[in-house]
């Protein structure tokens, strides 16, 4: 009986490990935020971008990579990564590509540029990506939900990652607290 349990646990671990490997190394943490409208991912190799663009009818890519911080763990991208992506995207007819270099928590300059892209309905469907697909892409996806879908900061925070506990969006973390305190442009205008 103990052997069966060990085999079952081992099989579950292998399956979960395989799914994780697929998600990170083959699917690039690609995820639908709003069906047919907004997606998020990690960096996709330049030679594979066109496949994602065609499959999901993506019209715009927002690239959050950029040398804006010395945090090489959360932001390990190199200028060549950005250039290679730009070159690949420029070869895809009808695709808009915007580089909005951002730190893990957005600033007002980044948000202004992000809103300029997202406010234009002609840009949809949109892919928002960072390096790993689990930091900046997620926080901007949460901001999208707050600004354009009426989520509260707390609802968006809870929807962006599972499990929330011990993630970079948990209570007390910079990203978690940022989203909890975030006020949409509509809320700010109503307060004036």
């Amino acid at each position: 009986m103990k052997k069966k349990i060990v085999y079952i646990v081992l099989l579950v671990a292998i399956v979960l490990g395989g799914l994780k490997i697929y998600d990170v190394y083959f699917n690039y943490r690609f995820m639908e935020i709003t069906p047919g409208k907004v997606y998020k991912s990690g960096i996709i190799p330049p030679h594979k971008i066109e496949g994602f663009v065609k499959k999901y009818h993506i019209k715009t890519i927002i690239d959050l990579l950029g040398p804006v911080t010395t945090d090489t763990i959360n932001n390990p991208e190199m200028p060549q990564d950005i250039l290679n992506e730009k070159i690949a995207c420029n070869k895809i007819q009808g695709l808009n590509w915007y580089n909005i270099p951002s730190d893990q928590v957005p600033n007002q300059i980044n948000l202004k540029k992000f809103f300029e892209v997202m406010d234009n309905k002609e840009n949809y469907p949109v892919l928002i990506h960072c390096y790993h697909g689990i930091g900046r892409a997620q926080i901007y996806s949460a901001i999208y939900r707050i600004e354009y879908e009426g989520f509260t900061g707390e609802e968006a925070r809870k929807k962006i990652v599972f499990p929330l506990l011990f993630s970079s969006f948990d209570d007390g973390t910079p990203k978690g607290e940022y989203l909890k305190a975030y006020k949409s442009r509509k809320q700010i205008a109503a307060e004036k």
Side-chain angles (χ1 to χ4, degrees), residues 22-186:
Y22 169 77
D23 186 46
V24 173
Y25 296 105
F26 297 97
N27 199 43
Y28 311 101
R29 292 188 172 115
F30 189 91
M31 185 175 121
E32 187 175 67
I33 301 301
T34 302
K37 210 170 179 187
V38 178
Y39 305 90
K40 72 97 189 158
S41 76
I43 190 169
I44 298 171
H47 67 282
K48 293 188 176 185
I49 293 171
E50 189 169 13
F52 280 86
V53 167
K54 286 183 177 180
K55 183 175 182 179
Y56 297 97
H57 310 288
I58 293 166
K59 290 184 181 178
T60 302
I61 293 177
I62 297 176
D63 171 8
L64 301 170
L65 303 180
V68 294
T69 180
T70 57
D71 180 358
T72 57
I73 299 206
N74 291 313
N75 301 0
E77 58 265 13
M78 302 298 284
Q80 194 63 44
D81 294 330
I82 300 164
L83 180 60
N84 291 342
E85 180 176 309
K86 180 180 181 179
I87 291 167
C89 288
N90 285 341
K91 291 178 182 177
I92 303 171
Q93 187 174 0
L95 180 66
N96 301 309
W97 180 81
Y98 298 93
N99 179 238
I100 305 173
S102 180
D103 207 339
Q104 292 293 312
V105 174
N107 62 40
Q108 287 305 313
I109 295 168
N110 297 117
L111 290 176
K112 183 178 185 285
K113 292 175 184 176
F114 178 71
F115 296 146
E116 286 172 6
V117 175
M118 301 305 284
D119 284 348
N120 183 347
K121 293 185 186 326
E122 297 296 315
N123 285 327
Y124 291 84
V126 176
L127 169 63
I128 303 165
H129 88 81
C130 61
Y131 193 85
H132 297 107
I134 56 172
R136 293 167 285 179
Q138 283 181 304
I139 200 165
Y140 279 85
S141 296
I143 291 167
Y144 164 79
R145 285 178 163 150
I146 296 166
E147 291 285 348
Y148 300 93
E149 295 183 349
F151 280 53
T152 66
E154 184 65 6
E155 289 168 337
R157 184 178 78 92
K158 287 180 177 176
K159 184 98 171 155
I160 203 64
V161 65
F162 179 82
L164 187 61
L165 189 63
F166 304 119
S167 77
S168 63
F169 292 90
D170 197 358
D171 289 320
T173 65
K175 287 186 270 191
E177 294 303 313
Y178 178 85
L179 286 175
K180 288 185 344 185
Y182 186 88
K183 289 186 179 183
S184 70
R185 295 174 292 171
K186 189 176 182 178

